[in-house]
Amino acid sequence: MSGNIELLNTTLAAAKAADRAALIAYLPAGFPTVDGGIDAVKAVVAGGADVVEVGLPHSDPVLDGPVIQTADDIALRGGVRIADVMRTVREAYEATGVPILVMTYWNPIDRYGVERFTAELAEAGGAGCILPDLPVQESALWREHADKHGLATVFVVAPSSQDARLATITAAGSGFVYAASLMGVTGTRASVGAQAQELVGRTRATTDLPVCVGLGVSNAAQAAEVAGFADGVIVGSAFVKAMLDAPDEAAGLAAVRSLAGELAEGVRKR
C-alpha cells in the first residue's frame, strides 16, 4: 500500500489556491491515552486543522520544550509503543481523511528498522515523516524507503541555516519544509518574530516546496501574522497545553477543538 504524500501535496495546494495558509496541528500519540490521543486528533480536525502531525513520544526530545516533554512523559509512562503510533495514524486518517504525518526523532526508527517503519506507516495511511534530528547527508536510506512507500520526508530548517545548507536540505525533502521560527525548543511565545519571515524568504529562494512555520504560534493573531508570509502554520505546544490544563479529557477535547477553530480563522485572516 502506498502512503499519502499526494494527499498532503493536494491539501497544501488547495489551501494556497484558496489564498490562505494551511493549519497544521501537532499532538503526541498516547497522550493522555492512546484512545484519548486519537480523539484529540479528531477534535483538532473538526475544529479546522488541515494537516496533523502525530508525535512519537521519545525520552530525549531535544527539539521539544517542557509542555510537550510533559505530554511525552505521560505517554511513555502509559506504555505507548510504535504500534500505538501507527494505530493513531490509521484511526485518525480513517476518521478524518486529512494528511497525517509522524514527527519523530531518528533513534526509534533506526531501532525499529527503516523498511518496517515506512511500510507500516504507509499501510496505516500516513502521509510522511518530520525528522528534526536526521542530518540530510545521512538520510539516503530513509529517503529511499520513504519514496518507495509514497511518504513525504520533511526536514527542519532554522534561522541559523546558511543559504547553501538550505538548498541542500530542500533539495532532499518532499511534502513541505518545516521552518523553525527561532533558535530554541518548542513552546508558546509572546511573539513569533521577524526571524521567521526572513527564513521563509531565504528558504523559498531554494525550493518550490511549501514552507510551513512552527515553534511559538499559540493564538489566532500569531497564526494570522505567520500566515501572511508562510504556506502553513504549525501549532503544537498550545494544543498540548490546552489538554494538560483541562480538568478532564472531555474538557480537553473541547478546548483543542475550540483552539483549532480560532487558529483556523486566524490563518484565513492573513
Side-chain angles (χ1 to χ4, degrees):
M1 178 174 175
S2 182
N4 271 314
I5 185 173
E6 284 308 315
L7 176 62
L8 176 64
N9 293 340
T10 56
T11 299
L12 294 174
K16 183 176 182 179
D19 194 31
R20 67 173 179 88
L23 175 60
I24 302 174
Y26 167 93
L27 290 162
F31 168 74
T33 62
V34 176
D35 288 340
I38 294 166
D39 287 341
V41 175
K42 296 176 186 177
V44 295
V45 174
D50 300 290
V51 179
V52 178
E53 303 173 9
V54 170
L56 194 161
H58 189 50
S59 57
D60 187 23
V62 293
L63 184 68
D64 294 310
V67 170
I68 292 176
Q69 285 182 21
T70 299
D72 276 6
D73 187 58
I74 290 169
L76 291 167
R77 288 175 185 273
V80 71
R81 296 290 184 266
I82 288 179
D84 300 309
V85 178
M86 297 299 178
R87 181 187 152 212
T88 300
V89 172
R90 177 181 294 104
E91 295 191 14
Y93 169 64
E94 288 175 351
T96 67
V98 305
I100 312 285
L101 299 104
V102 169
M103 185 165 186
T104 178
Y105 298 97
W106 180 245
N107 181 260
I109 294 178
D110 192 40
R111 289 183 63 108
Y112 198 72
V114 176
E115 169 60 21
R116 181 184 177 194
F117 189 95
T118 51
E120 290 184 7
L121 182 56
E123 191 275 331
C129 261
I130 301 160
L131 301 161
D133 67 339
L134 177 63
V136 66
Q137 64 271 23
E138 298 175 19
S139 67
L141 178 65
W142 164 266
R143 288 186 285 125
E144 174 191 339
H145 288 288
D147 290 348
K148 180 171 79 171
H149 289 291
L151 299 169
T153 298
V154 179
F155 289 113
V156 178
V157 298
S160 61
S161 302
Q162 299 298 311
D163 290 351
R165 177 71 176 164
L166 288 176
T168 299
I169 293 171
T170 59
S174 56
F176 63 91
V177 182
Y178 187 126
S181 66
L182 41 78
M183 301 302 294
V185 296
T186 58
T188 61
R189 301 292 196 280
S191 65
V192 179
Q195 277 187 319
Q197 186 167 1
E198 180 193 14
L199 176 58
V200 169
R202 292 196 296 119
T203 304
R204 279 194 177 138
T206 71
T207 184
D208 291 328
L209 289 173
V211 183
C212 304
V213 170
L215 274 65
V217 177
S218 61
N219 58 51
Q222 290 175 334
E225 177 191 356
V226 173
F229 58 81
D231 299 298
V233 180
I234 303 169
V235 181
S237 294
F239 285 120
V240 176
K241 187 174 188 301
M243 295 282 288
L244 286 169
D245 289 349
D248 55 51
E249 190 172 308
L253 295 174
V256 295
R257 179 172 179 163
S258 176
L259 177 58
E262 294 169 16
L263 294 163
E265 191 175 333
V267 301
R268 287 163 172 79
K269 282 185 176 176
R270 62 177 182 173

